[in-house]
mmCIF file of all heavy atoms in Angstrom:
data_model
loop_
_atom_site.group_PDB
_atom_site.id
_atom_site.type_symbol
_atom_site.label_atom_id
_atom_site.label_comp_id
_atom_site.label_asym_id
_atom_site.label_seq_id
_atom_site.Cartn_x
_atom_site.Cartn_y
_atom_site.Cartn_z
ATOM 1 N N LEU A 50 79.957 84.116 18.493
ATOM 2 C CA LEU A 50 80.415 82.725 18.588
ATOM 3 C C LEU A 50 81.105 82.276 17.304
ATOM 4 O O LEU A 50 81.986 81.426 17.332
ATOM 5 C CB LEU A 50 79.230 81.798 18.876
ATOM 6 C CG LEU A 50 78.598 81.922 20.253
ATOM 7 C CD1 LEU A 50 77.292 81.135 20.305
ATOM 8 C CD2 LEU A 50 79.548 81.439 21.323
ATOM 9 N N PHE A 51 80.692 82.848 16.196
ATOM 10 C CA PHE A 51 81.166 82.430 14.885
ATOM 11 C C PHE A 51 82.533 83.028 14.532
ATOM 12 O O PHE A 51 83.261 82.464 13.722
ATOM 13 C CB PHE A 51 80.122 82.841 13.838
ATOM 14 C CG PHE A 51 80.108 82.010 12.597
ATOM 15 C CD1 PHE A 51 79.861 80.654 12.656
ATOM 16 C CD2 PHE A 51 80.334 82.595 11.352
ATOM 17 C CE1 PHE A 51 79.824 79.885 11.521
ATOM 18 C CE2 PHE A 51 80.300 81.824 10.208
ATOM 19 C CZ PHE A 51 80.044 80.478 10.288
ATOM 20 N N GLU A 52 82.897 84.159 15.132
ATOM 21 C CA GLU A 52 84.168 84.822 14.798
ATOM 22 C C GLU A 52 85.383 83.917 14.970
ATOM 23 O O GLU A 52 86.222 83.852 14.080
ATOM 24 C CB GLU A 52 84.327 86.123 15.592
ATOM 25 C CG GLU A 52 83.470 87.257 15.074
ATOM 26 C CD GLU A 52 83.683 87.563 13.593
ATOM 27 O OE1 GLU A 52 84.844 87.644 13.133
ATOM 28 O OE2 GLU A 52 82.666 87.691 12.884
ATOM 29 N N PRO A 53 85.547 83.209 16.102
ATOM 30 C CA PRO A 53 86.717 82.324 16.220
ATOM 31 C C PRO A 53 86.721 81.212 15.173
ATOM 32 O O PRO A 53 87.785 80.783 14.713
ATOM 33 C CB PRO A 53 86.596 81.731 17.628
ATOM 34 C CG PRO A 53 85.628 82.579 18.349
ATOM 35 C CD PRO A 53 84.765 83.233 17.340
ATOM 36 N N VAL A 54 85.530 80.775 14.777
ATOM 37 C CA VAL A 54 85.432 79.742 13.746
ATOM 38 C C VAL A 54 85.963 80.297 12.433
ATOM 39 O O VAL A 54 86.737 79.640 11.723
ATOM 40 C CB VAL A 54 83.962 79.265 13.592
ATOM 41 C CG1 VAL A 54 83.813 78.282 12.455
ATOM 42 C CG2 VAL A 54 83.463 78.660 14.896
ATOM 43 N N LYS A 55 85.556 81.507 12.093
ATOM 44 C CA LYS A 55 86.030 82.157 10.872
ATOM 45 C C LYS A 55 87.533 82.413 10.934
ATOM 46 O O LYS A 55 88.241 82.210 9.949
ATOM 47 C CB LYS A 55 85.281 83.468 10.626
ATOM 48 C CG LYS A 55 83.865 83.271 10.137
ATOM 49 C CD LYS A 55 83.152 84.582 9.934
ATOM 50 C CE LYS A 55 83.642 85.270 8.689
ATOM 51 N NZ LYS A 55 82.847 86.468 8.350
ATOM 52 N N ASP A 56 87.995 82.863 12.097
ATOM 53 C CA ASP A 56 89.426 83.142 12.252
ATOM 54 C C ASP A 56 90.268 81.878 12.076
ATOM 55 O O ASP A 56 91.394 81.945 11.584
ATOM 56 C CB ASP A 56 89.714 83.762 13.618
ATOM 57 C CG ASP A 56 89.150 85.166 13.754
ATOM 58 O OD1 ASP A 56 88.782 85.782 12.724
ATOM 59 O OD2 ASP A 56 89.068 85.654 14.901
ATOM 60 N N SER A 57 89.722 80.741 12.479
ATOM 61 C CA SER A 57 90.441 79.463 12.353
ATOM 62 C C SER A 57 90.423 78.922 10.930
ATOM 63 O O SER A 57 91.156 77.996 10.610
ATOM 64 C CB SER A 57 89.833 78.416 13.283
ATOM 65 O OG SER A 57 89.971 78.811 14.608
ATOM 66 N N ASN A 58 89.566 79.469 10.091
ATOM 67 C CA ASN A 58 89.406 78.987 8.708
ATOM 68 C C ASN A 58 89.391 80.174 7.742
ATOM 69 O O ASN A 58 88.382 80.469 7.114
ATOM 70 C CB ASN A 58 88.096 78.209 8.593
ATOM 71 C CG ASN A 58 88.075 76.993 9.478
ATOM 72 O OD1 ASN A 58 88.662 75.976 9.168
ATOM 73 N ND2 ASN A 58 87.418 77.117 10.631
ATOM 74 N N PRO A 59 90.535 80.857 7.611
ATOM 75 C CA PRO A 59 90.556 82.100 6.830
ATOM 76 C C PRO A 59 90.329 81.932 5.324
ATOM 77 O O PRO A 59 89.981 82.903 4.652
ATOM 78 C CB PRO A 59 91.954 82.664 7.105
ATOM 79 C CG PRO A 59 92.776 81.493 7.489
ATOM 80 C CD PRO A 59 91.840 80.540 8.164
ATOM 81 N N ASP A 60 90.494 80.743 4.785
ATOM 82 C CA ASP A 60 90.386 80.550 3.337
ATOM 83 C C ASP A 60 88.976 80.190 2.861
ATOM 84 O O ASP A 60 88.783 79.889 1.686
ATOM 85 C CB ASP A 60 91.369 79.461 2.879
ATOM 86 C CG ASP A 60 92.815 79.840 3.169
ATOM 87 O OD1 ASP A 60 93.112 81.062 3.168
ATOM 88 O OD2 ASP A 60 93.639 78.944 3.406
ATOM 89 N N VAL A 61 88.001 80.222 3.743
ATOM 90 C CA VAL A 61 86.631 79.846 3.389
ATOM 91 C C VAL A 61 85.909 81.066 2.812
ATOM 92 O O VAL A 61 86.024 82.182 3.330
ATOM 93 C CB VAL A 61 85.886 79.293 4.622
ATOM 94 C CG1 VAL A 61 84.437 78.986 4.309
ATOM 95 C CG2 VAL A 61 86.592 78.044 5.147
ATOM 96 N N SER A 62 85.147 80.843 1.750
ATOM 97 C CA SER A 62 84.449 81.939 1.070
ATOM 98 C C SER A 62 83.290 82.476 1.912
ATOM 99 O O SER A 62 82.758 81.781 2.785
ATOM 100 C CB SER A 62 83.916 81.473 -0.281
ATOM 101 O OG SER A 62 82.801 80.618 -0.085
ATOM 102 N N ASN A 63 82.890 83.713 1.630
ATOM 103 C CA ASN A 63 81.748 84.318 2.336
ATOM 104 C C ASN A 63 80.467 83.535 2.095
ATOM 105 O O ASN A 63 79.633 83.422 2.996
ATOM 106 C CB ASN A 63 81.571 85.778 1.912
ATOM 107 C CG ASN A 63 82.585 86.676 2.590
ATOM 108 O OD1 ASN A 63 83.108 86.349 3.648
ATOM 109 N ND2 ASN A 63 82.872 87.809 1.970
ATOM 110 N N ASP A 64 80.265 83.015 0.884
ATOM 111 C CA ASP A 64 79.072 82.219 0.593
ATOM 112 C C ASP A 64 79.009 80.975 1.469
ATOM 113 O O ASP A 64 77.949 80.604 1.971
ATOM 114 C CB ASP A 64 79.036 81.817 -0.885
ATOM 115 C CG ASP A 64 78.748 82.991 -1.808
ATOM 116 O OD1 ASP A 64 78.216 84.017 -1.320
ATOM 117 O OD2 ASP A 64 79.057 82.887 -3.007
ATOM 118 N N THR A 65 80.163 80.346 1.648
ATOM 119 C CA THR A 65 80.209 79.158 2.508
ATOM 120 C C THR A 65 79.897 79.541 3.948
ATOM 121 O O THR A 65 79.147 78.839 4.631
ATOM 122 C CB THR A 65 81.591 78.475 2.420
ATOM 123 O OG1 THR A 65 81.831 78.101 1.058
ATOM 124 C CG2 THR A 65 81.665 77.246 3.311
ATOM 125 N N TRP A 66 80.433 80.681 4.424
ATOM 126 C CA TRP A 66 80.153 81.120 5.789
ATOM 127 C C TRP A 66 78.671 81.405 5.978
ATOM 128 O O TRP A 66 78.105 81.053 7.018
ATOM 129 C CB TRP A 66 80.972 82.359 6.159
ATOM 130 C CG TRP A 66 82.421 82.054 6.404
ATOM 131 C CD1 TRP A 66 83.490 82.659 5.819
ATOM 132 C CD2 TRP A 66 82.956 81.062 7.273
ATOM 133 N NE1 TRP A 66 84.653 82.099 6.279
ATOM 134 C CE2 TRP A 66 84.356 81.110 7.181
ATOM 135 C CE3 TRP A 66 82.399 80.116 8.129
ATOM 136 C CZ2 TRP A 66 85.199 80.283 7.899
ATOM 137 C CZ3 TRP A 66 83.234 79.269 8.852
ATOM 138 C CH2 TRP A 66 84.619 79.359 8.727
ATOM 139 N N LEU A 67 78.054 82.029 5.003
ATOM 140 C CA LEU A 67 76.614 82.299 5.106
ATOM 141 C C LEU A 67 75.824 81.002 5.228
ATOM 142 O O LEU A 67 74.895 80.902 6.028
ATOM 143 C CB LEU A 67 76.138 83.116 3.906
ATOM 144 C CG LEU A 67 76.609 84.567 3.873
ATOM 145 C CD1 LEU A 67 76.204 85.228 2.553
ATOM 146 C CD2 LEU A 67 76.061 85.343 5.048
ATOM 147 N N ALA A 68 76.210 80.015 4.434
ATOM 148 C CA ALA A 68 75.526 78.712 4.503
ATOM 149 C C ALA A 68 75.775 78.038 5.850
ATOM 150 O O ALA A 68 74.857 77.459 6.443
ATOM 151 C CB ALA A 68 75.994 77.818 3.360
ATOM 152 N N LEU A 69 76.994 78.116 6.342
ATOM 153 C CA LEU A 69 77.324 77.486 7.625
ATOM 154 C C LEU A 69 76.598 78.159 8.791
ATOM 155 O O LEU A 69 76.171 77.482 9.723
ATOM 156 C CB LEU A 69 78.836 77.521 7.861
ATOM 157 C CG LEU A 69 79.664 76.577 6.997
ATOM 158 C CD1 LEU A 69 81.149 76.830 7.212
ATOM 159 C CD2 LEU A 69 79.322 75.130 7.285
#
Side-chain angles (χ1 to χ4, degrees):
L50 291 170
F51 206 60
E52 285 305 314
V54 175
K55 286 179 75 172
D56 291 345
S57 297
N58 298 282
D60 299 330
V61 176
S62 73
N63 282 336
D64 289 340
T65 301
W66 286 127
L67 289 174
L69 288 173

